[in-house]
Amino acid sequence: MRTIRINEDGFTGLEAAIVLIAFVVVAAVFSYVVLGAGFFTTQKSQEVVHTGVSQTSSSVEVVGNVYGYTSASQTITYIRFDLGLTAGGSPVDMSKTVMTYSKSDSSEPNYLDYKSDLSTSNTWIVSSTNNGNAGSLLERGEMFTVIARVSGTEGLAANEQMRLEIKPPAGSVLGLKRTAPPQLDKVNVLY
């Protein structure tokens, strides 16, 4: 009678192939997950960079001097300056811009309202538009002349310091820190 021998040499190669295929599949799934997470992180980083650039690129700047006009109370109650966009800046809607005014001795800033006229205190207007249309959108190449009226009690006396902050809807805040001259005239350059 013949004995049947069991030869397991073929099964060892087959088992090794199955294990190798399993490792390859697991590695492929793992690499897909790692690459997906990497792409997601890269996309989020890109969004953050684009948001940061768009927020800083829509800044405004003062073009020229800042002037103060005195009132009957011999304090500066009107402040005039020209605004333009910074280099490469995107347009700014001035009707949505927020301004605050404070003096060096006052603790709380006064919010100035955007209006069509200066009939009341704590208001500001765009009095003229240079090189552009008559809308409230400050665009590249345009310059807006802004006049702010502060209340009589918050008016600027001689040698007094003031701070005017201009906050566009998107972008960085522009802070104007100026001092009134020692002798006030009808029109004064704030330095």
Side-chain angles (χ1 to χ4, degrees):
M1 200 155 174
R2 236 168 110 193
T3 60
I4 301 177
R5 288 182 55 194
I6 301 175
N7 189 355
E8 296 182 2
D9 290 340
F11 288 110
T12 304
L14 183 60
E15 290 171 353
I18 291 173
V19 169
L20 181 64
I21 291 171
F23 277 130
V24 168
V25 168
V26 168
V29 169
F30 181 71
S31 66
Y32 175 76
V33 169
V34 169
L35 284 174
F39 287 142
F40 177 75
T41 303
T42 303
Q43 183 180 9
K44 285 297 180 188
S45 299
Q46 186 179 15
E47 287 177 17
V48 167
V49 168
H50 284 296
T51 302
V53 168
S54 69
Q55 292 220 346
T56 58
S57 67
S58 62
S59 298
V60 293
E61 66 180 348
V62 173
V63 180
N65 291 325
V66 177
Y67 298 97
Y69 297 91
T70 57
S71 63
S73 64
Q74 291 303 310
T75 58
I76 295 174
T77 54
Y78 293 94
I79 300 166
R80 184 184 70 78
F81 53 92
D82 294 326
L83 280 181
L85 290 179
T86 57
S90 38
V92 173
D93 188 359
M94 294 302 290
S95 66
K96 295 180 181 172
T97 299
V98 176
M99 285 193 196
T100 58
Y101 169 83
S102 61
K103 293 193 314 184
S104 57
D105 62 351
S106 62
S107 58
E108 287 293 318
N110 290 329
Y111 288 95
L112 305 178
D113 296 323
Y114 177 72
K115 299 281 185 178
S116 59
D117 62 16
L118 292 171
S119 59
T120 59
S121 296
N122 294 327
T123 56
W124 68 277
I125 63 167
V126 174
S127 69
S128 66
T129 305
N130 302 325
N131 300 330
N133 53 18
S136 65
L137 191 64
L138 178 60
E139 297 172 306
R140 188 173 62 170
E142 290 182 341
M143 189 169 57
F144 284 3
T145 300
V146 175
I147 299 177
R149 179 180 178 190
V150 296
S151 66
T153 59
E154 290 292 324
L156 203 59
N159 287 322
E160 205 168 24
Q161 201 173 54
M162 67 96 181
R163 181 168 176 84
L164 186 69
E165 289 187 348
I166 304 157
K167 172 70 174 111
S172 60
V173 174
L174 173 65
L176 294 175
K177 191 174 185 181
R178 298 289 193 269
T179 304
Q183 178 181 346
L184 295 181
D185 296 322
K186 186 169 176 107
V187 179
N188 305 281
V189 176
L190 303 180
Y191 59 95

